Amino acid sequence: MPSAVATHSHRPTTKVAPKSFKSKKATKGALRDQAKGKVPNERRKTPHQQVMSKFDRRNQAKQRQLAKHREHQKETSVFSGRDGAPRIVAVVPLCTDIDVPAAISNLNGSLDIESEVSETSFRVSVDRFKQKLQYVPVNRDLTACIDAARVADYVVFVLSSEVEVDALGELIIRSIENQGMSTLFTVVQNLDKIQPAKARPDVVKSLASFMTHFHPGQEKIYSLDSRQECANLMRSLCTTTPKGINWRDQRSWMLVDEVQWPSTADESTVLTGVVRGKGLKADRLVHVGDWGTFQIEKITAAPLPTKSRKDGGMAVDATEGDNVLEVPDEDQDDLAELAPEEIVMDDVDAEADTKEPSSKKGVLLDDHHYFSEEEREEYTAPKKLPKGTSSYQAAWFLDDVSDSESELDDEEMEDAQDEDMPAAPEDGMEGLAQKEATEAAMSEYPQSEMFVEPNEDDDAAGLEAYRARKRDEIEDDKEFPDEIELHPNVLARERLAKYRGLKSLRTSPWNTEEDRPYQPEEWSRLLQISDYQSSRNRSIREALVGGVTPGTRVHVHLKGVPRDLEKSYTPSHPVTLFSLLRHENKKTSVNFDITHKEDYEKSIKAKEELIIQCGPRRFIVNPLFSLSGNTENDVHKYCRYLHPGQSAIATFMGPITWGSVPALFFKRTVPSGEDGETGVPLQLVATGTARAPSTSRVIAKRVILTGHPYHIHKKVVTIRYMFFNREDVEWFKALPLWTRRGRSGYIKETLGTHGYFKANFDGRINPQDAVGVSLYKRVWPRSAVPFTGPLLEEGATEVQNEVMDEDIQ
């Protein structure tokens, strides 16, 4: 075997690669290459920020920690101290066998707190954690549960280990969740009754799964039968910082502990409680539960009696006198909801009504009545001109074009703006198809077939058969939700007198002068807001400064409280007081984003009676539904129904609410077990959020008249069943026609006396196509009525009448 021989090879080159330059300071290019395209979260602006020393990083982290600690102390400062505000705990039962006083006794007994449990709200001092709790026990009443959770720092849901949560319990959960809720805890009662004992963890796991369906963060279920778990819950109640509710924290609010009714007519009603949220101002109006909105006469201090030792250990109650903290001044808000009537405005309206023009000869299209002039308007054919040609230069172009070039492409008329929803042919120009290319031959049709007027009996039979066939198609696919059918003996120009035509629903101008005779009487007296965002910020910032300091126990003296409220007052029902921001009592046309709840399977009809809760107030409303989005002309299509899974804008006349405040929409229903409906005569059908109000937002109700192509000759079509007399065709002659497949056209001439007419289209149409014309009228929102009383009453099975049919009156 040969010995191993060391191999030798030459290097391929004698060049030596120089060492890379080592820089102490990285260049911009090196930093960019090192980042490899990653973008830092915080953009560094200065060289000092780019290279930060270890000491600076520690100092910056310490500053953030101190700032967070100061913010936490500011949030909890209202609870600290001997005279601090109590933490409000609402105990809400969800099942029928829940004993709320026993649940509160279990919580207090875990810390050896001896206190009597009453049906009204009461305070408990927790010496171990140097805090005070104020329990608000409520029954299984929807109104009481909602009102208690609205002002609670902590909401405690009480479940049963034996009885399931029924329909009322689920309604309470969904209502409290959607109105805004602070920190939530869940407890279970009577868990020791479950036998055998090893089945109890499965029960707790099942209840936790049920709660996570509504609140994904609720994974812990406390047992009231365990002293240790009750003590842990009490620790959380005394040490956890409540999350709060955004819209509630922007205002001053108070849970009323005591109500002092006046003995004489000259005295005022006194509400006692602890101020929370922002500072309570005497100049602002306050809304008290379902009582209504009132003015404040004065605010006085109401400290709790404290005992001090003096002179040999004798106990003396140290209480202050009638210390007035704040009184209103000349800037106090009044209770007027509408602006005062102006005689000048009435004169202007009367003068505008007297300026009624002479008889119109045609329908209003955009902002002009066509065919209404004394002299016949001559039609000028458009010219094909180079781009950028002015009107003066256009006069220098001769009209010596051939007939084959008489059709002008209007592609420049298409709107280029982005829209949320694609435009349909019935919406106007945006939804139409592209025009077909001009034919090589002459576009004029030299001969037209003679029109033979049909027999009246044959025409009526054909109309009935056509509508019966079409009615089945609409019910199947709902292709034309706005379509109406006119009776042959009804004049369309009289039934549709309030309607007008629009070339484009999104861009055509809306002539508001035509709407003045039909607008509500109080429309001109509503609050007009030119800049909503600026006005909202000014009102919210105004509440940040001044007023009685939060955490102070006060007496609020109210003026003008009706005496009959004393008879309906129930001490066990929690009473809340909310201070309204400036102008929040004035009426305007308010808008809400509304979303249909998935649990409610039926459609909601527009103008149907609903109960809305927005913030601290409740109203009975008949809202209008319209499509959302921003349009160039601020015109939005009216929706007759809100179907399951859909969202829209609900509009009605009511007091303004600043900010994005959640809203709940309830509907009275008739419980019936046959259809599987719940036994609760009230359902939460939709939720929403307050949006910017506007009196200039036009809600346009659309009706569609459709006709059938009777005879087609290239682009000239004879249409029937749209109108039924010659005068209606002449009146609506200016309106543009459209088809389901996107063709557009116009009425050329009338044929006979039965409403037949000849129309020209921009392309060939299909014999199975339907020809339509869109008409619009402005619908006005209805006024809201304050809601009083409980949401759910015993035997409340009020049948909802079918408000507002789908007619076009």
Side-chain angles (χ1 to χ4, degrees):
M1 184 175 182
S3 60
V5 180
T7 60
H8 174 74
S9 62
H10 292 282
R11 293 181 179 178
T13 178
T14 58
K15 294 182 179 180
V16 179
K19 294 181 178 180
S20 59
F21 175 72
K22 297 180 180 179
S23 173
K24 294 182 180 180
K25 296 182 179 180
T27 61
K28 293 182 179 179
L31 291 175
R32 184 173 58 251
D33 296 340
Q34 185 179 1
K36 296 181 180 179
K38 297 179 182 178
V39 180
N41 294 334
E42 298 179 359
R43 187 171 181 84
R44 296 166 179 171
K45 300 179 181 179
T46 61
H48 175 70
Q49 293 176 339
Q50 292 181 4
V51 183
M52 189 178 296
S53 64
K54 188 175 182 179
F55 174 79
D56 294 336
R57 291 196 301 270
R58 284 183 176 178
N59 185 39
Q60 192 179 51
K62 185 178 180 181
Q63 295 297 326
R64 286 197 297 263
Q65 183 180 9
L66 292 176
K68 187 175 182 180
H69 180 65
R70 284 194 298 268
E71 183 179 358
H72 173 73
Q73 283 186 333
K74 183 179 179 181
E75 292 176 353
T76 58
S77 61
V78 69
F79 305 123
S80 61
R82 185 182 63 176
D83 298 330
R87 297 170 181 258
I88 303 175
V89 181
V91 184
V92 180
L94 299 180
C95 302
T96 55
D97 62 338
I98 296 299
D99 188 359
V100 175
I104 298 177
S105 300
N106 292 337
L107 293 177
N108 293 338
S110 63
L111 298 181
D112 299 328
I113 300 175
E114 296 180 359
S115 175
E116 295 182 1
V117 179
S118 62
E119 296 181 354
T120 60
S121 61
F122 62 96
R123 290 192 180 194
V124 169
S125 178
V126 185
D127 297 334
R128 180 181 298 185
F129 302 107
K130 298 181 180 180
Q131 293 291 327
K132 292 180 290 294
L133 298 180
Q134 184 172 2
Y135 291 104
V136 185
V138 293
N139 300 323
R140 276 171 45 89
D141 180 15
L142 178 62
T143 308
C145 293
I146 291 178
D147 292 345
R150 188 191 302 157
V151 295
D153 298 310
Y154 307 95
V155 178
V156 179
F157 284 156
V158 185
L159 298 173
S160 174
S161 60
E162 299 176 332
V163 180
E164 294 183 354
V165 179
D166 56 357
L168 178 57
E170 292 189 7
L171 179 60
I172 292 174
I173 294 176
R174 297 184 186 278
S175 302
I176 292 177
E177 174 190 8
N178 288 283
Q179 78 164 353
M181 179 178 56
S182 189
T183 308
L184 173 66
F185 296 100
T186 308
V187 299
V188 57
Q189 198 175 43
N190 300 327
L191 189 61
D192 289 347
K193 294 182 180 181
I194 301 297
Q195 297 296 334
K198 59 183 179 182
R200 296 170 187 170
D202 295 335
V203 174
V204 175
K205 188 180 299 183
S206 176
L207 294 176
S209 176
F210 173 78
M211 289 304 301
T212 53
H213 174 70
F214 299 97
H215 303 278
Q218 283 296 301
E219 298 179 354
K220 174 63 176 174
I221 305 293
Y222 297 89
S223 175
L224 293 176
D225 298 327
S226 173
R227 182 182 177 91
Q228 181 61 38
E229 293 191 11
C230 289
N232 294 338
L233 178 57
M234 292 292 289
R235 178 186 296 272
S236 299
L237 293 176
C238 295
T239 58
T240 305
T241 303
K243 294 188 303 182
I245 305 174
N246 186 27
W247 67 267
R248 183 185 71 180
D249 296 339
Q250 292 176 349
R251 296 159 173 81
S252 178
W253 55 275
M254 184 177 72
L255 174 62
V256 178
D257 300 335
E258 182 184 356
V259 179
Q260 299 178 14
W261 299 99
S263 57
T264 61
D266 298 335
E267 297 180 359
S268 57
T269 304
V270 182
L271 305 183
T272 305
V274 179
V275 179
R276 297 290 304 277
K278 298 296 184 290
L280 180 60
K281 297 183 178 181
D283 291 336
R284 303 283 82 86
L285 301 176
V286 292
H287 187 84
V288 182
D290 292 335
W291 298 1
T293 304
F294 307 99
Q295 287 181 321
I296 296 179
E297 182 179 344
K298 61 179 178 179
I299 302 175
T300 59
L304 289 174
T306 58
K307 294 183 179 181
S308 60
R309 296 289 177 178
K310 288 185 179 180
D311 300 334
M314 184 177 60
V316 178
D317 290 342
T319 59
E320 298 182 9
D322 190 8
N323 184 14
V324 178
L325 299 179
E326 187 162 333
V327 293
D329 52 16
E330 65 276 0
D331 194 32
Q332 185 180 19
D333 297 337
D334 55 4
L335 295 172
E337 297 180 349
L338 299 172
E341 295 188 33
E342 296 291 340
I343 303 178
V344 180
M345 296 300 296
D346 293 343
D347 294 342
V348 173
D349 294 344
E351 185 178 352
D353 295 339
T354 56
K355 292 182 179 179
E356 189 68 25
S358 59
S359 60
K360 301 291 190 304
K361 297 182 180 180
V363 68
L364 177 65
L365 179 60
D366 289 353
D367 55 351
H368 184 67
H369 282 276
Y370 289 84
F371 312 117
S372 296
E373 290 78 5
E374 294 298 332
E375 297 182 359
R376 185 176 181 85
E377 182 179 358
E378 297 183 359
Y379 174 75
T380 57
K383 305 176 183 179
K384 283 199 171 184
L385 303 173
K387 291 185 177 180
T389 305
S390 64
S391 58
Y392 174 77
Q393 294 171 338
W396 296 89
F397 287 85
L398 302 180
D399 298 335
D400 55 350
V401 294
S402 61
D403 291 340
S404 61
E405 298 178 355
S406 62
E407 295 182 3
L408 180 65
D409 293 336
D410 291 336
E411 296 177 355
E412 297 179 359
M413 297 294 293
E414 297 180 357
D415 196 359
Q417 66 176 358
D418 296 333
E419 297 290 346
D420 298 335
M421 297 178 59
E426 56 266 27
D427 291 337
M429 297 182 297
E430 293 85 356
L432 301 177
Q434 299 290 335
K435 288 192 175 183
E436 294 182 349
T438 306
E439 299 176 356
M442 295 181 61
S443 60
E444 297 293 335
Y445 307 108
Q447 295 181 354
S448 178
E449 296 183 4
M450 183 180 62
F451 174 73
V452 179
E453 190 168 355
N455 188 11
E456 292 185 3
D457 298 337
D458 297 340
D459 191 33
L463 173 63
E464 185 65 25
Y466 168 71
R467 287 186 172 177
R469 175 178 57 85
K470 190 174 63 172
R471 188 175 296 113
D472 296 336
E473 296 176 1
I474 293 178
E475 291 177 357
D476 290 339
D477 57 353
K478 297 182 180 179
E479 190 70 25
F480 295 105
D482 300 321
E483 183 177 350
I484 65 169
E485 295 179 350
L486 296 176
H487 194 274
N489 298 329
V490 176
L491 298 180
R493 61 184 180 278
E494 294 181 359
R495 191 177 182 188
L496 304 175
K498 298 180 183 179
Y499 286 79
R500 69 183 72 185
L502 292 178
K503 294 180 181 178
S504 172
L505 177 62
R506 305 180 180 183
T507 59
S508 294
W510 186 276
N511 188 356
T512 58
E513 293 297 328
E514 297 286 336
D515 301 327
R516 293 178 67 90
Y518 310 111
Q519 70 182 17
E521 297 180 359
E522 56 185 3
W523 188 260
S524 59
R525 301 173 57 192
L526 296 179
L527 179 64
Q528 307 286 338
I529 304 174
S530 57
D531 188 353
Y532 171 78
Q533 187 173 1
S534 175
S535 302
R536 178 199 61 192
N537 296 339
R538 187 184 306 110
S539 299
I540 294 178
R541 283 197 304 265
E542 187 181 18
L544 299 177
V545 184
V548 180
T549 307
T552 308
R553 193 170 187 269
V554 296
H555 293 308
V556 181
H557 299 254
L558 301 181
K559 297 188 296 185
V561 179
R563 297 291 299 271
D564 55 352
L565 291 177
E566 184 177 0
K567 301 177 182 178
S568 60
Y569 170 67
T570 305
S572 60
H573 186 96
V575 178
T576 60
L577 181 145
F578 278 84
S579 177
L580 301 180
L581 300 178
R582 187 184 290 271
H583 306 304
E584 277 196 329
N585 191 51
K586 297 180 180 178
K587 270 190 174 183
T588 185
S589 178
V590 294
N591 301 313
F592 286 84
D593 280 339
I594 182 172
T595 303
H596 195 289
K597 291 288 291 183
E598 299 176 355
D599 306 329
Y600 188 67
E601 298 178 353
K602 298 182 180 180
S603 300
I604 307 173
K605 192 175 183 180
K607 301 180 184 178
E608 193 173 19
E609 185 177 288
L610 300 176
I611 301 174
I612 179 177
Q613 173 182 306
C614 178
R617 298 179 286 193
R618 299 188 186 98
F619 302 98
I620 300 177
V621 297
N622 301 93
L624 302 179
F625 299 145
S626 59
L627 296 180
S628 59
N630 297 324
T631 57
E632 193 173 315
N633 53 1
D634 204 11
V635 177
H636 305 267
K637 180 185 169 298
Y638 168 79
C639 301
R640 288 174 170 83
Y641 287 93
L642 184 66
H643 297 290
Q646 290 184 351
S647 298
I649 299 294
T651 305
F652 58 90
M653 288 190 294
I656 186 177
T657 301
W658 298 113
S660 299
V661 180
L664 307 178
F665 293 87
F666 297 96
K667 179 183 176 183
R668 302 281 191 191
T669 57
V670 180
S672 61
E674 298 177 359
D675 301 336
E677 294 184 0
T678 62
V680 181
L682 185 78
Q683 289 194 15
L684 179 63
V685 296
T687 58
T689 307
R691 288 292 176 252
S694 175
T695 55
S696 61
R697 188 178 190 271
V698 177
I699 302 178
K701 182 177 182 179
R702 177 169 66 193
V703 297
I704 297 175
L705 300 177
T706 57
H708 178 255
Y710 178 64
H711 186 272
I712 302 176
H713 179 69
K714 295 185 178 180
K715 298 181 181 180
V716 178
V717 184
T718 301
I719 308 297
R720 64 176 178 176
Y721 301 154
M722 182 179 291
F723 304 106
F724 300 98
N725 56 76
R726 186 183 186 92
E727 290 76 13
D728 286 344
V729 178
E730 293 291 344
W731 178 265
F732 295 102
K733 189 175 182 180
L735 297 180
L737 303 177
W738 52 265
T739 68
R740 183 187 300 183
R741 292 175 172 83
R743 297 288 100 196
S744 63
Y746 61 92
I747 299 176
K748 184 178 181 181
E749 59 179 344
T750 60
L751 300 175
T753 60
H754 288 196
Y756 287 59
F757 61 89
K758 188 179 293 186
N760 278 19
F761 286 88
D762 60 349
R764 300 177 183 271
I765 69 172
N766 193 292
Q768 302 299 325
D769 208 347
V771 180
V773 62
S774 299
L775 291 164
Y776 302 89
K777 80 164 183 178
R778 183 172 185 177
V779 288
W780 303 92
R782 295 185 173 188
S783 182
V785 179
F787 178 83
T788 57
L791 291 171
L792 278 176
E793 296 178 339
E794 295 183 0
T797 57
E798 180 182 352
V799 181
Q800 286 300 321
N801 53 353
E802 296 185 1
V803 188
M804 301 308 284
D805 353 344
E806 252 184 274
D807 56 358
I808 37 114
Q809 298 300 329

